[in-house]
Amino acid sequence: MYVCLCNSVSDKTIRQVVRRYQPQTFQQLRNFVPVGTQCGKCVRVARQIMEDELQQI
Ligand code: FES
């Protein structure tokens, strides 16, 4: 499922990036994947996915 339509970023991609790089902030996540860089509508959901995945590591 696409989370960020502007940049075609899926939830799967976000989870993979979180597992690999373990970003501690949303800004750090954006260093690895271009999510939330345009309209910003996806930021809340993307952040939730990041936090959910971090808890499972
Ligand atoms: Fe992610 Fe627009 S949907 S920046």
Side-chain angles (χ1 to χ4, degrees):
M1 163 187 95
Y2 280 119
V3 173
C4 182
L5 293 177
C6 293
N7 297 315
S8 301
V9 178
S10 69
D11 60 329
K12 187 176 174 187
T13 298
I14 293 172
R15 290 183 186 280
Q16 287 174 340
V17 166
V18 169
R19 286 206 172 252
R20 179 172 298 177
Y21 300 107
Q22 300 182 18
Q24 296 304 307
T25 65
F26 193 71
Q27 185 59 45
Q28 287 179 5
L29 176 68
R30 286 202 289 211
N31 290 336
F32 304 111
V33 62
V35 63
T37 57
Q38 294 191 47
C39 77
K41 287 181 180 172
C42 59
V43 170
R44 190 173 60 83
V45 172
R47 184 174 284 141
Q48 284 179 345
I49 292 170
M50 182 187 88
E51 290 172 359
D52 179 65
E53 196 64 25
L54 281 172
Q55 287 182 352
Q56 295 183 41
I57 293 176

